[in-house]
Amino acid sequence: MGQDAGRSGRSPRQPTIRDVASRAGVSPATVSSALTGVRPVAAKSRQLVFEAVDALGFKVNHLASSLRRGATKTVGLVVPDLSTAFYASLVREFENHAANSGYEILLASSSDSPIKEAVRIESLISRRVDGLLVIATHDDFGVAPGFPDQLPPTVLIDAAFGHPSLDTVASDNLGAGRSGCEYLLQLGHRDIALLTPDLDLENVRDRITGYRQALSDAGLAGRERVIVGGRGIETCRGAIEQELRRPDPPTAMFAITYFATLGAIKAIQAMEMSFPDDVSLVGFAHAEWMTAIRPYITAVSQAYDTLAANAWHVLEQRMNGSDTELARIRLPFRMNIRESARQRLPVQTPRA
């Protein structure tokens, strides 16, 4: 076979921390501190350590070292659905924050099911994650059968705001509902339909409350049009088509979730109508495709980067032993003004 290692069947010996220490001219303890960050190391010594690591091809056994310290440097992230742009954007942000802090993200999807959510969280806990970031499937987080009795430091994001025993970070959903409706009111619209898949989550109900408050403040309290389309793009599409076929169709639509936005667009197209010519549209969430089709979609979006930054900061503090009072952080939405909504044209009165 030509090589001694091949004849013996053994792989070449992997370099150890002692090898790195010898090459760098420092102690093994200094190498460990430089690689883990548990103690400060002088800049010159740190540089020598990393030069030795590169030269020797040393691979850090994060799991073994972290278990000795009672930590794994991993954080579990549970999201309801990996296919939506909002959740995908949050995952990327959390991966960046984790990497900058020396952690790795273990990602799991609950498929929007409280039962699966409980199973995924139990699985992550069995892998000894140091903390959890969870976008809960329901406001009653933690009551599903089989839910773990104890959790590591955990931060809930978006849903289940104000959980009695966990930190929560969310967007100002009531403000989002107000902003979207107020924008259409400023454009002169008075018949504004709101489309939502369901009424199950508090964050969705808050958006509807904000919409109603904006109408009420404009003296239009009796003009609400809340359409519940069901939890699917096609069911939302069907509900909007029915609304557009009415003798008095809305002049503007406000879709308050990602799926509702897609359903509204499909409905307008299926009716061979256009936005903003036939009906103005304000959607929800940020997605690249919203500026890839024309007209570009005006949308209210959650500031996922700020949301992730705040949630990660709270979790990192908890993992480092902070015992401050529970976080209750609400963050503003962003209004992305584009092309899908415009000034309502005055109704032309035929001449006698």
Side-chain angles (χ1 to χ4, degrees), residues 236-249:
C236 286
R237 177 192 62 78
I240 281 292
E241 283 189 31
Q242 285 186 326
E243 191 70 13
L244 292 173
R245 288 193 178 99
R246 288 177 50 168
D248 57 339

Side-chain angles (χ1 to χ4, degrees), residues 284-342:
F284 207 88
H286 167 76
E288 293 299 327
W289 62 262
M290 290 182 173
T291 55
I293 63 172
R294 298 299 296 269
Y296 297 154
I297 308 299
T298 292
V300 183
S301 67
Q302 300 193 66
Y304 59 85
D305 49 351
T306 307
L307 201 61
N310 277 268
W312 181 263
H313 176 69
V314 172
L315 181 65
E316 196 166 29
Q317 284 187 317
R318 293 297 183 206
M319 292 189 298
N320 290 332
S322 171
D323 60 353
T324 57
E325 64 182 46
L326 292 175
R328 297 287 183 260
I329 300 173
R330 282 202 185 274
L331 300 166
F333 276 74
R334 293 170 180 161
M335 191 75 195
N336 302 299
I337 307 298
R338 300 187 182 114
E339 301 171 343
S340 62
R342 75 175 183 192

Side-chain angles (χ1 to χ4, degrees), residues 133-156:
L133 295 161
V134 182
I135 303 174
T137 60
H138 204 273
D139 295 322
D140 293 330
F141 177 76
V143 302
F147 196 88
D149 293 329
Q150 292 186 321
L151 296 177
T154 299
V155 177
L156 301 181

Side-chain angles (χ1 to χ4, degrees), residues 84-129:
T84 63
F86 171 62
Y87 297 142
S89 297
L90 272 180
V91 170
R92 287 194 297 270
E93 290 293 321
F94 281 128
E95 286 178 336
N96 290 336
H97 287 295
N100 291 336
S101 300
Y103 285 83
E104 291 185 7
I105 292 290
L106 300 182
L107 179 62
S109 171
S110 63
S111 301
D112 216 17
S113 162
I115 300 296
K116 289 183 179 179
E117 180 179 72
V119 172
R120 301 293 183 267
I121 290 173
E122 180 64 50
S123 176
L124 290 167
I125 291 174
S126 71
R127 300 183 68 174
R128 301 184 64 175
V129 293

Side-chain angles (χ1 to χ4, degrees), residues 16-294:
T16 66
I17 280 184
R18 291 186 179 279
D19 295 328
V20 174
S22 177
R23 186 178 182 94
V26 299
S27 69
T30 298
V31 174
S32 178
S33 295
L35 295 177
T36 63
V38 295
R39 293 185 181 84
V41 175
K44 180 61 176 176
S45 296
R46 183 180 178 85
Q47 179 182 351
L48 290 170
V49 166
F50 282 105
E51 288 176 352
V53 165
D54 289 340
L56 295 173
F58 176 72
K59 304 295 183 184
V60 183
N61 188 337
H62 288 293
L63 181 59
S65 60
S66 61
L67 287 175
R68 286 194 294 272
R69 298 194 309 272
T72 61
K73 300 299 284 185
T74 58
V75 167
L77 172 58
V78 184
V79 301
D81 181 4
L82 291 171
S83 67
T84 63
F86 171 62
Y87 297 142
S89 297
L90 272 180
V91 170
R92 287 194 297 270
E93 290 293 321
F94 281 128
E95 286 178 336
N96 290 336
H97 287 295
N100 291 336
S101 300
Y103 285 83
E104 291 185 7
I105 292 290
L106 300 182
L107 179 62
S109 171
S110 63
S111 301
D112 216 17
S113 162
I115 300 296
K116 289 183 179 179
E117 180 179 72
V119 172
R120 301 293 183 267
I121 290 173
E122 180 64 50
S123 176
L124 290 167
I125 291 174
S126 71
R127 300 183 68 174
R128 301 184 64 175
V129 293
D130 298 331
L132 286 171
L133 295 161
V134 182
I135 303 174
T137 60
H138 204 273
D139 295 322
D140 293 330
F141 177 76
V143 302
F147 196 88
D149 293 329
Q150 292 186 321
L151 296 177
T154 299
V155 177
L156 301 181
I157 305 151
D158 194 33
F161 188 82
H163 189 281
S165 58
L166 298 173
D167 296 301
T168 53
V169 179
S171 299
D172 178 12
N173 288 285
L174 191 146
R178 286 186 64 94
S179 296
C181 186
E182 285 174 347
Y183 175 67
L184 290 168
L185 289 168
Q186 290 166 8
L187 293 177
H189 294 281
R190 295 297 179 264
D191 294 300
I192 303 168
L194 178 144
L195 175 63
T196 179
D198 55 47
L199 304 173
D200 293 344
L201 294 175
E202 182 181 11
N203 55 7
V204 169
R205 295 193 298 271
D206 283 349
R207 294 168 198 172
I208 297 171
T209 299
Y211 155 83
R212 285 180 165 141
Q213 287 181 357
L215 289 177
S216 179
D217 291 347
L220 302 170
R223 302 282 284 271
E224 299 97 337
R225 294 189 182 200
V226 176
I227 305 164
V228 181
R231 305 191 78 172
I233 297 172
E234 289 304 313
T235 57
C236 286
R237 177 192 62 78
I240 281 292
E241 283 189 31
Q242 285 186 326
E243 191 70 13
L244 292 173
R245 288 193 178 99
R246 288 177 50 168
D248 57 339
T251 64
M253 287 191 293
F254 180 22
I256 64 168
T257 71
Y258 181 77
F259 288 124
T261 303
L262 288 170
I265 292 171
K266 294 189 73 171
I268 294 169
Q269 293 175 340
M271 297 283 293
E272 297 185 350
M273 300 172 69
S274 64
F275 52 84
D277 294 338
D278 298 310
V279 59
S280 285
L281 172 66
V282 171
F284 207 88
H286 167 76
E288 293 299 327
W289 62 262
M290 290 182 173
T291 55
I293 63 172
R294 298 299 296 269

